């Protein structure tokens, strides 16, 4: 504390001299020097304060050398030594670190127990192959860990879905190279555009039957939303369904499920909603 006080007094006096302010020193030697000279001898005062600081530093060095060394291994950890810091702004740091380490140990223990429990449970509804499954008749799904599938596989899948539904037409094109664009026309109800990357649906936009999917330049419009509020809501539902049916392990089944769900909108304007039972809700068909 003596070294800190002497250093603080020295730098404070030095800063005040640089600002041209009058110094009010508490040091008795500096006061006697000012009275003796009759003027503010800045250099002598600063030298006096510097000497006081050096004396405190030398006294600290003597005290440190006189300390007896610690024999044997210390039982205190670095965290315990932190609590011995006399600085008042660091006294709470020791308790905060101890609390943090306690919570980290709890999280590690809980995660270890959860891993053991989940690893031995039978996740029958999971799409991933489970080595602990007791059902031998279940067929192991064909895994597809990437989207780099042959174009012929995508073409055959879209063609089979097109043949499955009589009132829904699917048109596949590749205007941007490898990735496929599927244009769907569902009766006289709606039109849509799906962007495929391999066998995974990346984006979907649903529009009205009278709006079309082409822009003024004759190219497929991939991002422009519908001008009708009812088909904007259908687009939101289709985006949610795209994520709901997504499965990297059963990609062909996810696409078939999505188009089966989209085909249910064929009676959008003629049948009541299966959830609320209304034909018109808020001046528009329930979506």
């Amino acid at each position: 504390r003596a070294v800190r006080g002497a250093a603080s007094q020295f730098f404070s006096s030095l800063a005040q001299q640089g600002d041209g302010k009058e110094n009010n020193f508490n040091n008795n030697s500096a006061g006697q020097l000012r009275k003796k000279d009759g003027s503010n001898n800045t250099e002598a005062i600063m030298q006096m304060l510097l000497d006081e600081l050096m004396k405190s530093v030398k006294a600290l060095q003597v005290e440190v050398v006189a300390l007896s060394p610690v024999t044997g291994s210390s039982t205190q950890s670095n965290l315990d030594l932190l609590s011995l810091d006399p600085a008042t702004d660091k006294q709470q740091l020791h308790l905060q670190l101890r609390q943090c380490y306690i919570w980290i140990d709890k999280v590690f223990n809980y995660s270890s127990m959860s891993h053991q429990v989940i690893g031995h449970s039978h996740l029958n509804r999971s799409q991933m192959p489970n080595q602990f499954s007791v059902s031998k008749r279940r067929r192991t799904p064909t895994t597809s860990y990437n989207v780099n599938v042959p174009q012929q596989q995508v073409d055959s899948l879209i063609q089979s879905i097109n043949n499955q539904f009589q009132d829904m037409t699917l048109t596949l094109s590749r205007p941007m190279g490898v990735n496929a664009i599927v244009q769907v026309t569902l009766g006289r109800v709606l039109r849509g555009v799906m962007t495929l990357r391999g066998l995974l649906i990346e984006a979907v936009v649903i529009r009205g039957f009278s709006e079309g999917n082409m822009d003024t330049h004759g190219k497929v419009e991939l991002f422009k939303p519908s001008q009708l509020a009812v088909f904007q809501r259908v687009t939101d539902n289709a985006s949610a369904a795209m994520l709901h049916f997504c499965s990297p392990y059963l990609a062909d089944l996810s696409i078939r499920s999505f188009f089966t769900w989209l085909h249910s909108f064929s009676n959008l304007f003629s049948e009541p909603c299966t959830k609320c039972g209304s034909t018109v809700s808020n001046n528009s068909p329930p979506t």
Side-chain angles (χ1 to χ4, degrees):
R1 287 195 295 267
V3 173
R4 289 178 179 177
S8 300
Q9 186 177 4
F10 172 75
F11 288 111
S12 176
S13 302
L14 185 63
Q16 292 177 1
Q17 292 294 339
D19 295 338
K21 298 179 180 179
E22 184 66 23
N23 296 319
N24 297 321
F25 298 110
N26 295 325
N27 190 283
N28 295 330
S29 301
Q32 295 175 0
L33 182 61
R34 183 184 296 119
K35 293 179 180 179
K36 182 177 179 180
D37 295 343
S39 62
N40 188 5
N41 192 342
T42 304
E43 184 177 357
I45 293 176
M46 299 307 299
Q47 184 64 38
M48 184 71 67
L49 294 176
L50 186 59
D51 293 340
E52 293 290 338
L53 175 60
M54 295 305 299
K55 289 180 182 180
S56 301
V57 172
K58 291 180 180 179
L60 177 62
Q61 291 178 348
V62 173
E63 295 291 340
V64 171
V65 173
L67 292 176
S68 60
V70 179
T71 58
S73 60
S74 177
T75 59
Q76 290 182 330
S77 62
N78 295 332
L79 183 62
D80 296 328
L81 295 177
L82 183 62
S83 63
L84 303 179
D85 196 331
T88 57
D89 57 341
K90 295 183 180 179
Q91 292 179 354
Q92 296 296 328
L93 185 60
H94 173 257
L95 298 178
Q96 294 175 0
L97 283 178
R98 287 183 61 89
Q99 193 71 15
C100 180
Y101 288 147
I102 291 174
W103 276 105
I104 289 177
D105 293 339
K106 288 183 179 180
V107 171
F108 179 77
N109 294 333
Y110 285 136
S111 61
S112 300
M113 291 186 294
S114 301
H115 176 71
Q116 295 177 1
V117 173
I118 296 176
H120 293 80
S121 62
H122 303 296
L123 302 179
N124 296 326
R125 299 190 61 183
S126 175
Q127 296 175 350
M128 296 187 63
N130 189 1
Q131 58 179 343
F132 301 103
S133 178
V134 297
S135 176
K136 297 182 179 179
R137 294 178 298 176
R138 180 177 301 173
R139 184 183 62 180
T140 303
T142 304
T143 59
S144 176
Y145 298 99
N146 53 52
V147 294
N148 296 323
V149 297
Q151 298 182 6
Q152 294 78 6
Q153 183 178 354
V154 180
D155 297 344
S156 61
L157 177 61
I158 297 301
Q159 184 62 34
S160 62
I161 297 176
N162 190 20
N163 297 333
Q164 180 180 356
F165 303 102
Q166 300 298 327
D167 56 345
M168 186 169 64
T169 304
L170 304 181
T171 304
L172 187 143
S173 61
R174 290 184 172 86
M176 296 180 295
V178 179
N179 297 331
I181 304 297
V182 179
Q183 302 181 51
V184 56
T185 302
L186 181 57
R188 299 180 61 86
V189 180
L190 57 84
R191 300 177 187 269
V193 177
M194 289 76 180
T195 303
L196 300 181
R197 182 178 293 274
L199 289 177
L200 296 179
I201 304 177
E202 282 197 335
V204 56
V205 177
I206 305 299
R207 305 184 182 94
F209 181 79
S210 60
E211 291 179 307
N213 296 325
M214 298 295 181
D215 57 8
T216 57
H217 302 285
K219 297 181 179 180
V220 181
E221 184 62 63
L222 300 177
F223 307 104
K224 183 179 180 180
S226 174
Q227 300 296 325
L228 303 177
V230 59
F231 292 107
Q232 294 176 5
R233 292 194 294 270
V234 174
T235 301
D236 296 338
N237 295 334
S239 300
M242 172 190 67
L243 300 176
H244 174 73
F245 293 114
C246 180
S247 173
Y249 298 96
L250 297 173
D252 54 345
L253 180 60
S254 65
I255 294 181
R256 291 181 181 275
S257 301
F258 175 79
F259 280 106
T260 302
W261 173 86
L262 185 63
H263 182 264
S264 64
F265 284 89
S266 59
N267 54 4
L268 176 64
F269 300 103
S270 58
E271 297 293 335
C273 178
T274 57
K275 182 178 181 180
C276 64
S278 301
T279 306
V280 178
S281 177
N282 295 327
N283 300 323
S284 66
T287 57

